[in-house]
Amino acid sequence: MNPFKHAIVSGRPLLGTWMMTGSDTVAEAMVTVGFDFLVLDQEHVAVDTLDAIRIDRAIRSVNAATTPLYRLAGNEVVLIKRALDGGATSLMIPFINTVEEAEKARDAACYPPYGTRGFAAMHRASGWGSNPAFVADARDELCLILQLETPEAMAHIEAMAALDGVTGFFIGPGDLSCAMGHPGMPSHPEVQAMIQQALSACQRLDKPCGIVGGTPELVNRYQQMGFSFVALASDMSFMLARAKEQLAA
């Protein structure tokens, strides 16, 4: 089974970071730090399908246990299909607000009869056709995370969680703060209350839930709250922080 999926479903907390540089070299280096997963951002970073495959290869070449978690550019059938055919096993689909949008993501990610994913025999995910069990195993291997970024999305967690094929959720605190009228203030008490409410719903429904925090203190707090997987800052923020520290010195 997908190690990332197995870990978060079984309750083992994971710690990762965000990849904002779009660099396979940086990703390869970040694996050596010891993160459990690296969020391969394609929504806010100019990373296309081929770039993603290069970054994926770089990560897995150092440690196959470190998971590239693809945060796609959007909830689009072609993007989901290309990521999966390119070798992704863990997907995070951004800005899911309704059950219908959740169903669209699930259907695009699963082969019939569970969904409508298009079939191709020769691609990286199937070992270029060398794995005859690929289609049968694809559903078990898939980790499908839906990203919740608005109060509307939070209101539909229970219905989304009931969809067969949805592994878990990820709360986007930045967009949530904007949607709640507190842009750039994810630590605002109202935003934090909404985050706690969503996490409690996921725990009640026995669904893994992830989040991102900008500082070790905030990440520690999220872990203590019970989040299944938490991302700490990003490769770009680490680089800039160190550069500023050295320049100031």
Side-chain angles (χ1 to χ4, degrees):
M1 179 185 280
N2 179 334
F4 179 80
K5 179 179 181 179
H6 178 73
I8 63 174
V9 168
S10 65
R12 181 167 68 86
L14 300 182
L15 183 62
T17 192
W18 221 265
M19 302 302 298
M20 296 296 294
T21 61
S23 166
D24 54 344
T25 300
V26 173
E28 185 178 0
M30 291 300 288
V31 177
T32 68
V33 175
F35 289 109
D36 299 305
F37 66 94
L38 302 178
V39 180
L40 201 169
D41 196 338
Q42 295 183 266
E43 183 183 13
H44 293 291
V45 182
V47 170
D48 61 21
T49 301
L50 287 177
D51 292 330
I53 290 174
R54 293 187 187 102
I55 295 171
D56 185 306
R57 283 180 178 144
I59 293 170
R60 296 179 196 268
S61 70
V62 178
N63 186 354
T66 301
T67 296
L69 175 56
Y70 287 57
R71 200 268 287 274
L72 300 187
N75 185 16
E76 299 296 335
V77 172
V78 171
L79 295 180
I80 293 172
K81 177 166 52 180
R82 286 184 176 179
L84 292 173
D85 286 357
T89 56
S90 299
L91 299 182
M92 186 156 71
I93 313 299
F95 214 69
I96 300 296
N97 289 304
T98 67
V99 177
E100 291 75 20
E101 290 172 354
E103 287 177 330
K104 177 183 177 182
R106 187 275 312 274
D107 289 349
C110 295
Y111 286 118
Y114 308 106
T116 57
R117 178 181 171 183
F119 175 80
M122 299 292 290
H123 47 58
R124 182 170 181 256
S126 68
W128 308 110
S130 66
N131 179 9
F134 170 73
V135 173
D137 294 342
R139 182 174 171 80
D140 290 335
E141 290 293 317
L142 174 66
C143 181
L144 181 62
I145 304 296
L146 305 182
Q147 192 163 349
L148 311 177
E149 306 174 75
T150 67
E152 179 187 8
M154 305 303 181
H156 295 119
I157 290 179
E158 186 161 355
M160 292 180 188
L163 294 176
D164 191 21
V166 172
T167 307
F169 300 97
F170 187 95
I171 297 173
D175 280 291
L176 180 61
S177 69
C178 290
M180 294 182 67
H182 307 292
M185 301 173 62
S187 294
H188 190 283
E190 291 181 4
V191 179
Q192 286 296 306
M194 179 70 73
I195 289 173
Q196 178 62 72
Q197 179 182 335
L199 174 61
S200 297
C202 290
Q203 292 172 328
R204 174 171 52 83
L205 297 165
D206 198 27
K207 286 290 184 180
C209 189
I211 198 167
V212 59
T215 66
E217 294 76 20
L218 186 55
V219 166
N220 285 334
R221 178 183 171 188
Y222 285 146
Q223 289 184 315
Q224 290 165 6
M225 287 170 65
F227 278 94
S228 308
F229 56 107
V230 185
L232 167 63
S234 71
D235 57 349
M236 183 67 79
S237 66
F238 289 139
M239 180 177 67
L240 291 176
R242 185 63 170 161
K244 291 176 182 178
E245 176 188 313
Q246 293 286 303
L247 181 59

